[in-house]
Amino acid sequence: MANIAAGTVRDVAGDNRSGLTKFMQRKSTIAFLMALPLLVLIFSLVAYPAGYAVYLAMLNKGMTRFVGFANFTFLFSRETFWMVVWQSCLFAITAVMFKAIIGFIVAHFVHNIPSKGQRKWRGMLLVPWVIPPAMSTLSWLWLFDPSYSAFNWLLQPLGIGPIPWIGETGWARFSVILVNVWIGAPFFMIMYLAALKSVPEQLYEAAAIDGATWWQRIWFVTLPMMRNIIAITALFSTIVTFANFDIVRVLTKGDPLNTTHVFATWAFRIGIEGNDIPLGATVSLFMVPILAVAAVFILRDITKRGSEV
Amino acid sequence: MTDTAIRAGAAGPKYGSMSRDRRWALRWSYFFLVLFAIFFLTPPIYMFITSLKTSAEISAEINPWWVFNPTLGNYIELLTQDTFLRFFRNSAIVSILVVTITMAISVVAAFALARMKFWGSATLATGVFLTYLIPETLLFIPLFKMFAWVNETLGIQLMNNWWTMIILYPTLTVPFCTWIMIGYFASIPKELDEAALIDGATWTQTLTKIFIPVALPGIIAATIFAFTVSWAQFLYPLAFTTSTSELVLPVGIVTTLIKGDVFNWGQIMAGALLGAAPPLIIYAFLMDYYIAGLTAGATKG
């Protein structure tokens, strides 16, 4: 960039008086200046911290000495770390899968009913996505309360429970996934509904004439037509779910015994609350590989579509 | 057209069974929609129910799904409390300023990237999108250290100040808003701005007189997105603010209202509902724009 800018300055320098003015009036210069605030923001508060995290991860706890990969090897030797890896993957994969399935089913039901009522249902079903996650997780926390759980009150007459929703490892893992599915499924529903609307009606008519069952219609018409949206929504959601913080932080804080921690909450526990910034940075860096893979696929998808248009 | 073809081709009873199938499919759809609506709406409704209860009723062994003695006491208590109003004020100022900054930066940058091609503008557009994919959970620890460094060298205390959020939140909103604005601007026919340029309009005039009015639905969608993101953000304020006077609403409610054993779930739920109210109200009135903003990220570009 600087080279080109310098070049243009030299080119127009012949006319000394208005050289700078002309340069400032060039289309590319104006455009660059218009994008400058964006560039400054991205470089100073996103790109630089991201790179800085890698450097931080190689310092000792007091941040006085360069220790190379010692933080990484230290983590590898800790049992809690592997539990967090396992829990993060379990959390992200299960939650994204259920969000996709529930979103797909609900989108179909909404699509099935007369279009007059669709708006109303869609509006109602998107509410979990609109409420700030920290706030809605609070209501789940109260629904899961150890001694006053409203769910347990309902289950009690059936002879079930009391269920330790957030008190026992298995149930607590189930609960954080449930809340995540609850918040995220409406997003899938909206995306799939938009995709369903774009499938040409003639395809279904043709399939009906050929005697296709409803299952064959979904498998051979709907799914292939929606493949793109399904993939991109699932990838987006994988990134967001994998990096999730709010739900686990509010619902369990990683308890019982650190078994519900995901990378983000554990990094917070170690880095901010435990005052070990380098180790916290190291933990959060373990999110990068999966995020990078998802990002590459999304990008490929988007550029592919861009060239098609 | 095709419909009549099917009817003509099919035998009488076949047609009847098709319409019966259709009717049953519709019934099942409604049945399952009701079930899902119950699942999706139970927590907010229960939030509302609890917010109307007294602590005595909450701790009593009676049906928790019903309010026997409804009271607005929880709301009144919260809204007359200085700390809660302070959270609300902090959140409101932060969100409004962040929305303003976001839209100023992203609309101008999107215009430059979509229309005034310059060296590296295509790469930059992709870069903006990539930035959107970097989660805040990856950045809060290095930012924490950077803020400490800023304090040591420049003497500016960024830690434990509510206005620090005004600097931080745009990193979450600007990339996505720029991205969807690029999409909206790219869909505007080239003839429009070419005509304006031939008529002697400057770039600024082209932007303010043509692009912003034409892409207004996109701008509204991006504004709503920026507002909901900054209103709901939880990690940054939790990591960077600690004093009660500096907290924003979500963190304030989670950290100050939950006081261990004290029984104030009615108040917590009232606070959470008040915290959820602004996005919900915006959603209720501008649902179509809200949904347009949601789907734009993946369907445009």
Side-chain angles (χ1 to χ4, degrees):
Chain A
M1 197 68 227
N3 278 341
I4 290 181
T8 16
V9 171
R10 222 177 301 120
D11 287 345
V12 293
D15 186 359
N16 249 338
R17 262 178 308 131
S18 59
L20 189 67
T21 344
K22 261 195 190 149
F23 172 70
M24 291 304 290
Q25 278 166 351
R26 280 178 62 103
K27 187 178 125 188
S28 60
T29 317
I30 301 174
F32 179 71
L33 289 177
M34 283 167 92
L36 196 62
L38 173 80
L39 284 171
V40 171
L41 182 82
I42 286 181
F43 276 104
S44 61
L45 290 173
V46 181
Y48 179 74
Y52 191 46
V54 179
Y55 171 72
L56 277 178
M58 297 189 202
L59 299 178
N60 69 340
K61 188 178 176 183
M63 286 177 283
T64 48
R65 203 158 41 80
F66 187 80
V67 293
F69 291 103
N71 284 324
F72 291 85
T73 47
F74 172 71
L75 280 179
F76 288 147
S77 69
R78 278 185 68 179
E79 212 178 308
T80 318
F81 172 73
W82 293 109
M83 200 159 65
V84 170
V85 172
W86 161 245
Q87 167 62 10
S88 293
C89 295
L90 181 82
F91 175 75
I93 293 169
T94 329
V96 171
M97 228 166 58
F98 277 101
K99 280 188 269 194
I101 294 170
I102 291 176
F104 190 76
I105 295 172
V106 178
H108 257 88
F109 287 137
V110 175
H111 189 63
N112 255 348
I113 63 173
S115 47
K116 198 157 44 92
Q118 283 188 14
R119 211 182 118 85
K120 195 178 64 194
W121 282 100
R122 195 184 58 173
M124 227 154 55
L125 295 169
L126 195 63
V127 166
W129 179 263
V130 181
I131 302 174
M135 300 295 92
S136 51
T137 312
L138 270 180
S139 75
W140 281 100
L141 182 64
W142 174 226
L143 281 163
F144 289 151
D145 190 88
S147 34
Y148 292 90
S149 168
F151 287 147
N152 284 346
W153 186 86
L154 286 177
L155 294 172
Q156 203 181 10
L158 307 172
I160 308 169
I163 294 171
W165 294 101
I166 48 175
E168 217 171 69
T169 300
W171 279 109
R173 286 179 169 169
F174 167 82
S175 299
V176 287
I177 292 169
L178 176 72
V179 175
N180 191 287
V181 170
W182 178 81
I183 290 175
F187 174 68
F188 279 77
M189 187 265 294
I190 285 294
M191 299 297 281
Y192 290 171
L193 196 60
L196 276 176
K197 297 247 177 278
S198 67
V199 179
E201 198 59 35
Q202 290 95 316
L203 290 180
Y204 291 112
E205 284 166 5
I209 290 171
D210 290 343
T213 61
W214 66 271
W215 173 247
Q216 284 170 320
R217 280 205 298 273
I218 288 181
W219 191 254
F220 292 110
V221 180
T222 316
L223 281 177
M225 291 300 286
M226 287 172 61
R227 205 176 48 202
N228 221 336
I229 290 278
I230 291 179
I232 212 162
T233 314
L235 288 167
F236 262 120
S237 181
T238 307
I239 291 185
V240 176
T241 313
F242 203 71
N244 186 283
F245 175 81
D246 303 12
I247 296 171
V248 176
R249 174 71 197 184
V250 175
L251 203 61
T252 65
K253 286 194 175 173
D255 291 335
L257 297 169
N258 294 334
T259 48
T260 55
H261 266 310
V262 290
F263 283 123
T265 52
W266 203 45
F268 188 91
R269 170 68 56 84
I270 292 177
I272 307 291
E273 291 176 331
N275 253 326
D276 194 340
I277 288 180
L279 199 62
T282 317
V283 170
S284 65
L285 278 179
F286 277 96
M287 285 190 283
V288 172
I290 289 174
L291 299 183
V293 170
V296 164
F297 277 106
I298 292 177
L299 215 58
R300 204 189 57 172
D301 213 58
I302 278 175
T303 46
K304 194 173 66 192
R305 227 157 3 131
S307 58
E308 272 169 11
V309 173
Chain B
M1 205 60 192
T2 6
D3 213 38
T4 44
I6 297 172
R7 279 183 208 175
K14 180 90 181 179
Y15 163 63
S17 88
M18 265 183 80
S19 106
R20 201 165 52 233
D21 281 355
R22 181 88 197 98
R23 218 164 41 233
W24 272 107
L26 201 62
R27 273 180 205 156
W28 279 113
S29 296
Y30 278 120
F31 174 72
F32 281 109
L33 277 180
V34 169
L35 281 189
F36 279 113
I38 291 172
F39 171 58
F40 284 139
L41 294 179
T42 297
I45 289 173
Y46 191 61
M47 210 191 242
F48 179 65
I49 291 177
T50 311
S51 73
L52 297 176
K53 291 183 186 174
T54 58
S55 335
E57 189 174 339
I58 288 170
S59 52
E61 296 242 349
I62 44 172
N63 184 352
W65 296 92
W66 189 254
V67 194
F68 295 94
N69 302 302
T71 166
L72 287 175
N74 294 318
Y75 291 95
I76 294 167
E77 207 173 313
L78 275 181
L79 292 173
T80 50
Q81 214 179 75
D82 279 345
T83 46
F84 188 80
L85 291 175
R86 175 92 193 182
F87 301 155
F88 218 100
R89 196 202 68 139
N90 288 350
S91 261
I93 298 176
V94 166
S95 301
I96 290 168
L97 284 176
V98 168
V99 167
T100 317
I101 294 170
T102 303
M103 293 322 289
I105 294 179
S106 61
V107 167
V108 172
F111 178 71
L113 290 176
R115 269 303 195 268
M116 311 165 64
K117 303 270 187 275
F118 60 95
W119 186 84
S121 60
T123 323
L124 188 57
T126 318
V128 168
F129 183 68
L130 268 184
T131 328
Y132 167 60
L133 298 180
I134 298 177
E136 75 270 26
T137 41
L138 200 62
L139 303 175
F140 71 101
I141 290 178
L143 283 170
F144 195 86
K145 181 79 181 88
M146 278 165 68
F147 286 178
W149 178 84
V150 166
N151 189 29
E152 281 161 25
T153 50
L154 303 174
I156 305 168
Q157 180 58 275
L158 291 168
M159 217 69 91
N160 203 9
N161 270 318
W162 62 270
W163 48 260
T164 306
M165 302 306 135
I166 301 169
I167 306 168
L168 283 176
Y169 289 3
T171 59
L172 307 165
T173 55
V174 166
F176 185 71
C177 288
T178 310
W179 176 251
I180 61 173
M181 286 324 295
I182 291 176
Y184 274 101
F185 284 162
S187 68
I188 294 173
K190 271 223 157 53
E191 289 77 12
L192 262 181
D193 46 309
E194 276 164 7
L197 285 176
I198 288 168
D199 287 348
T202 61
W203 286 106
T204 334
Q205 282 170 326
T206 323
L207 175 62
T208 53
K209 298 255 163 67
I210 296 176
F211 274 74
I212 292 179
V214 173
L216 199 61
I219 291 177
I220 297 174
T223 309
I224 294 174
F225 171 85
F227 179 81
T228 44
V229 165
S230 35
W231 189 270
Q233 176 50 231
F234 183 66
L235 171 61
Y236 281 157
L238 188 68
F240 298 129
T241 51
T242 44
S243 310
T244 316
S245 62
E246 306 298 327
L247 298 178
V248 294
L249 204 53
V251 176
I253 291 168
V254 170
T255 55
T256 65
L257 289 185
I258 300 181
K259 298 165 190 146
D261 298 330
V262 183
F263 238 96
N264 57 346
W265 272 104
Q267 213 180 69
I268 297 171
M269 291 292 100
L273 209 58
L274 288 174
L280 278 173
I281 291 168
I282 289 178
Y283 170 68
F285 285 102
L286 300 167
M287 189 168 88
D288 293 318
Y289 292 110
Y290 188 100
I291 289 172
L294 268 189
T295 47
T299 52
K300 288 215 185 280

